Amino acid sequence: MVAATLEKLRSLFWEAPDTVVTPFGEFSNNNEPDPKYQTAVTRPWSQTCWTPAAGYIYPDHVDDLCEAFSMVSAMGTKFAVRTTGHNPNVGFSSADETAIVLDIGKLKTKELAHNKKTARVGAGNTWGEVYAWLEEQGLSVIGGRDSQVGLGGFLLGGGMGALPNFHGLGADGVKKFEVLLASGCEIWTNAADKPDLFRALKGGGSNFGIVTAFELETHPLIKVQYTINLYNPEDHVAINQATVSVQQAMEEDPKIGLFTNFNNGFVAVGLFYGDHPAEPPKAFEPFHSLKSLMTTAVPSTNGTILSLAQAMGHAQTSQKRTISTVTTRVSQELYEEVYNTWVDVCKTLPTGAVLHYTIQPMGTAGVQAGKDRGGNIMGLESVPQCWWVFTCEWPQDGSDDAAAQKAVDTMSETVQSLAKARGALLDFKCMTFANATQKVLGSYGAENVKLMQEVAAKYDPKGVFQKQQNGGFLLRDNI
């Protein structure tokens, strides 16, 4: 079936042969592999997702995507949708030989609307591209912390930025979604027009359609003062105390942003402030007073959302990756237990594999910012909290997949157990940090699950996105 679909797609796009990429190409001689195909296979961030699909479709315009998707849907062919391929879960934005990948990375339109109060941007853009374009206009939007990350997965999964308490999550800043429905119809939805679909898309993932563009709330250029320091992990008690202190300060000052990443041989701490103060905020003093500073990775900089995203960008390295997440309340004692668990789990890993974890604070102001903008589907509780992410990275040529996955599973399961024992466990799991096995949608609460099911049935009555979509946090198996 998939071969027949690809033949029809080749016929459809015969005037633009680069639109359809298959292993040997349409006119290959002597069965020589098409180099464009290998480039397509190896595009994802994690090598766990370098699974050769039957073919890759690169539509130049939304109309091309509509035609291609209508054909894929009508033929009953499995598909995955990809922008940058940053999700490390196998099969979410990748596929095997039984499915086709619809790569929407060319959908890079950009325009300002409503007297520059909103920005309409194609889903194929990266955050670096959007930030740079808007900065020329003296504007900012709320988006990702890494310039190379695409808009789609980030916004549909909620989207935690560098300053989540300042203006809320990325999804909260979406004013409209342009969506290609299973019917082949392309629509815009907002708080007034199809509000049920609009709300479900704010954190509900790829269950309802292919989002081809976003209209985002703009802000006057957001200034950010930032620094990233590396500390000795042997000072973990004081580092965790400083982390909790800054999280508490966030409740009084939403301009504060932070991450604390425990890694192999160092602890990276990012300190962000949504302004250019003459002196470092007093809230950061607990970190500045630590004696365990090893080096400064990024010196104190008066920059913008763009320059911060560029500073936090990463080079594409040849590694496999897997992740997992838990959400908890703030607790110094819990943070120490997590550290001790991490030390023990690291001892189980083979040489070359690295396990690290990140404390990512979310405050009540960030949750409230979402409610003030009409609400989202994620069911966040209005309490200070931490969105943990556990990440394992290991070489492509190793046979350590099972050990790596066990490590992140052990971390998330143990932290859940420890947090539950302390009364600190929260139900919510952030989609963009979660492993494929985690019940993300179910963590949003029964009422929100019911709404998502109703929306899916209403706008996709034949269940195309549940039955034919290759993977993702789908309602068919994630509640």
Side-chain angles (χ1 to χ4, degrees):
M1 181 179 294
V2 68
T5 303
L6 285 167
E7 285 302 315
K8 286 182 175 291
L9 287 167
R10 282 199 188 97
S11 297
L12 178 64
F13 296 109
W14 67 273
E15 292 182 321
D18 287 345
T19 301
V20 182
V21 176
T22 54
F24 298 102
E26 186 177 3
F27 305 108
S28 65
N29 295 318
N30 302 319
N31 284 335
E32 294 179 0
D34 186 340
K36 295 191 294 293
Y37 179 80
Q38 187 60 21
T39 299
V41 171
T42 58
R43 186 180 179 194
W45 172 59
S46 172
Q47 288 190 347
T48 51
C49 300
W50 289 12
T51 53
Y56 298 83
I57 313 302
Y58 293 89
D60 287 317
H61 308 286
V62 173
D63 289 345
D64 293 340
L65 175 64
C66 291
E67 289 188 272
F69 178 68
S70 293
M71 188 169 292
V72 169
S73 176
M75 294 286 288
T77 304
K78 287 176 62 180
F79 67 91
V81 180
R82 181 171 79 185
T83 49
T84 61
H86 202 78
N87 190 301
N89 289 308
V90 180
F92 280 35
S93 58
S94 56
D96 59 18
E97 68 279 358
T98 67
I100 290 171
V101 173
L102 300 170
D103 190 305
I104 60 175
K106 292 183 178 180
L107 305 185
K108 292 182 180 291
T109 56
K110 303 179 192 70
E111 63 175 320
L112 291 171
H114 303 106
N115 294 321
K116 298 187 177 182
K117 292 181 179 179
T118 63
R120 291 177 181 169
V121 287
N125 284 290
T126 64
W127 286 111
E129 291 167 339
V130 171
Y131 291 155
W133 166 67
L134 284 173
E135 193 159 302
E136 293 176 354
Q137 323 290 326
L139 299 171
S140 296
V141 291
I142 304 304
R145 294 172 291 190
D146 187 325
S147 61
Q148 298 159 317
V149 170
L151 273 64
F154 179 88
L155 292 171
L156 295 177
M160 174 181 272
L163 301 167
N165 297 317
F166 203 7
H167 295 293
L169 301 174
D172 298 326
V174 180
K175 306 299 287 186
K176 285 185 180 181
F177 295 92
E178 184 182 54
V179 193
L180 174 57
L181 298 177
S183 64
C185 177
E186 187 184 27
I187 63 168
W188 281 96
T189 176
N190 60 20
D193 187 3
K194 302 176 181 62
D196 53 350
L197 176 60
F198 178 69
R199 184 171 172 225
L201 287 168
K202 295 169 76 173
S206 59
N207 283 282
F208 316 104
I210 301 175
V211 175
T212 55
F214 303 87
E215 186 169 306
L216 305 177
E217 178 185 9
T218 60
H219 305 273
L221 187 65
I222 297 176
K223 300 176 181 179
V224 186
Q225 186 177 89
Y226 54 88
T227 185
I228 300 177
N229 293 324
L230 305 186
Y231 298 91
N232 190 326
E234 292 181 1
D235 196 25
H236 56 90
V237 174
I239 292 170
N240 280 326
Q241 288 175 341
T243 298
V244 169
S245 178
V246 174
Q247 285 189 262
Q248 292 169 341
M250 283 181 182
E251 293 303 299
E252 302 298 325
D253 188 349
K255 290 185 178 182
I256 294 173
L258 166 75
F259 73 79
T260 302
N261 170 255
F262 282 81
N263 213 311
N264 185 21
F266 64 89
V267 182
V269 176
L271 300 171
F272 314 134
Y273 195 75
D275 205 345
H276 290 168
E279 300 291 336
K282 291 183 178 179
F284 297 154
E285 179 57 31
F287 279 108
H288 295 319
S289 63
L290 293 179
K291 306 300 183 184
S292 53
L293 178 66
M294 297 167 59
T295 188
T296 296
V298 177
S300 182
T301 303
N302 284 331
T304 62
I305 293 289
L306 171 63
S307 66
L308 173 58
Q310 291 170 335
M312 294 185 66
H314 60 275
Q316 173 73 300
T317 55
S318 298
Q319 286 185 308
K320 290 185 173 183
R321 295 176 172 88
T322 185
I323 58 176
S324 189
T325 191
V326 176
T327 301
T328 72
R329 296 174 185 268
V330 181
S331 166
Q332 163 75 23
E333 294 78 14
L334 175 63
Y335 289 12
E336 276 300 296
E337 291 179 321
V338 174
Y339 172 82
N340 291 329
T341 300
W342 172 66
V343 170
D344 289 341
V345 174
C346 284
K347 295 175 183 176
T348 70
L349 288 171
T351 302
V354 175
L355 175 68
H356 57 94
Y357 71 92
T358 309
I359 297 170
Q360 303 181 120
M362 179 72 175
T364 53
V367 177
Q368 187 59 46
K371 294 178 179 179
D372 293 343
R373 286 164 173 78
N376 54 54
I377 200 66
M378 294 177 282
L380 300 176
E381 296 183 50
S382 295
V383 297
Q385 55 198 267
C386 172
W387 295 7
W388 302 82
V389 59
F390 311 105
T391 306
C392 194
E393 301 173 312
W394 68 104
Q396 161 71 10
D397 58 0
S399 56
D400 305 322
D401 299 29
Q405 190 59 58
K406 183 178 180 180
V408 296
D409 289 346
T410 299
M411 285 299 300
S412 59
E413 291 166 5
T414 303
V415 172
Q416 284 187 94
S417 178
L418 292 169
K420 187 174 182 179
R422 290 190 171 276
L425 181 65
L426 299 177
D427 290 336
F428 172 74
K429 294 179 178 64
C430 179
M431 184 178 290
T432 53
F433 306 130
N435 186 262
T437 61
Q438 295 187 288
K439 302 298 184 182
V440 170
L441 301 181
S443 76
Y444 292 1
E447 184 177 334
N448 287 329
V449 168
K450 182 174 182 291
L451 174 61
M452 287 187 289
Q453 290 173 324
E454 292 171 348
V455 169
K458 179 178 178 180
Y459 294 96
D460 182 14
K462 294 182 179 180
V464 171
F465 286 95
Q466 302 304 316
K467 297 174 183 177
Q468 291 178 231
Q469 194 164 191
N470 189 57
F473 294 107
L474 302 177
L475 287 163
R476 71 185 183 203
D477 53 17
N478 197 250
I479 57 176

